[in-house]
Amino acid sequence: SQTIHQWPATLVQPVGSPLSLECTVEGTSNPNLYWYRQAAGRGLQLLFYSVGIGQISSEVPQNLSASRPQDRQFILSSKKLLLSDSGFYLCAWSAGGDTQYFGPGTRLTVL
Amino acid sequence: AQSVTQLGSHVSVSEGALVLLRCNYSSSVPPYLFWYVQYPNQGLQLLLKYTTGATLVKGINGFEAEFKKSETSFHLTKPSAHMSDAAEYFCAVSEYGSNDYKLSFGAGTTVTVRA
């Protein structure tokens, strides 16, 4: 069966510091991968998605970036965090179909 | 472009009572529709989905939803609420874009269950 992992589970970072969140999927090949942010009272916002290694599509312009160095690895990064980057970050995968499956999430607090 | 409206950001029910969460969507094409549940500080778990075929869809934990095209609705129900149903519920619609399916989510409905 397929499993999706995210780490770290929680993170507290100062404003201006860099960020790296990692997502990995097991049990499937060539998944489509997604990064969402869930800010308080704002629902889920799609940030990036990837249909293959090195292929990244950005949905919302911001100071975040994403990379996919391996087939089942998706990384969310920032060079300098802002207060507004605080939130719950969710990674998801799909088998190229309509259904997405979500990871456990990373709670990011920027102080 | 599709959009999803969940009526009521908070719903409070008594244990054993009916749970009804409302979802309306707009889509330019026949939609794929989903309900997800999120427990505190956890990811989203798929409850059920509608793609084609039977309009009444049964999911996990005793939930079901009915797709009504004429009403553009996909309301979620459970006949008898349990304390473990306390969570946030998200309705979503999927539409195929340039190279992938995109999910659009409603704002979510938080369910509290009273003993």
Side-chain angles (χ1 to χ4, degrees):
Chain A
S1 65
Q2 299 84 15
T3 311
I4 180 169
H5 303 279
Q6 288 186 244
W7 60 87
T10 59
L11 190 60
V12 180
Q13 292 284 91
V15 169
S17 64
L19 173 72
S20 181
L21 303 182
E22 189 167 342
C23 169
T24 59
V25 181
E26 296 177 354
T28 188
S29 297
N30 195 31
N32 290 357
L33 297 171
Y34 311 83
W35 278 112
Y36 290 85
R37 177 168 58 202
Q38 191 175 22
R42 296 187 62 184
L44 285 102
Q45 180 185 38
L46 178 63
L47 302 175
F48 301 94
Y49 70 95
S50 171
V51 298
I53 296 175
Q55 301 179 60
I56 308 295
S57 297
S58 174
E59 290 293 302
V60 181
Q62 58 220 317
N63 71 320
L64 298 172
S65 62
S67 62
R68 186 170 176 173
Q70 300 180 44
D71 181 45
R72 292 170 289 176
Q73 184 185 33
F74 204 23
I75 296 172
L76 183 69
S77 303
S78 174
K79 292 182 179 178
K80 287 186 176 182
L81 283 169
L82 307 172
L83 285 173
S84 58
D85 292 324
S86 293
F88 194 51
Y89 288 81
L90 290 160
C91 182
W93 74 274
S94 76
D98 51 85
T99 305
Q100 294 181 23
Y101 301 92
F102 286 79
T106 295
R107 173 75 59 191
L108 173 65
T109 303
V110 183
L111 301 174
Chain B
Q2 65 270 42
S3 67
V4 180
T5 301
Q6 290 184 239
L7 298 176
S9 58
H10 290 87
V11 169
S12 180
V13 299
S14 297
E15 192 173 20
L18 171 72
V19 179
L20 170 60
L21 305 183
R22 300 179 187 275
C23 173
N24 289 88
Y25 69 91
S26 67
S27 176
S28 57
V29 298
Y32 293 160
L33 296 160
F34 304 80
W35 277 99
Y36 286 86
V37 61
Q38 185 180 32
Y39 299 100
N41 293 310
Q42 295 186 26
L44 275 68
Q45 180 181 7
L46 180 67
L47 270 179
L48 49 80
K49 67 176 182 180
Y50 169 80
T51 53
T52 59
T55 56
L56 182 62
V57 181
K58 294 187 184 298
I60 62 171
N61 302 339
F63 284 92
E64 62 182 35
E66 186 171 11
F67 169 58
K68 292 188 176 181
K69 184 178 179 180
S70 61
E71 299 177 7
T72 61
S73 69
F74 191 55
H75 300 333
L76 181 71
T77 60
K78 181 174 180 177
S80 177
H82 190 272
M83 298 298 288
S84 61
D85 294 326
E88 190 163 19
Y89 293 79
F90 292 93
C91 181
V93 59
S94 176
E95 192 173 54
Y96 193 80
S98 56
N99 61 353
D100 193 12
Y101 287 91
K102 300 288 180 61
L103 275 180
S104 294
F105 286 89
T109 299
T110 300
V111 172
T112 57
V113 182
R114 306 185 302 272

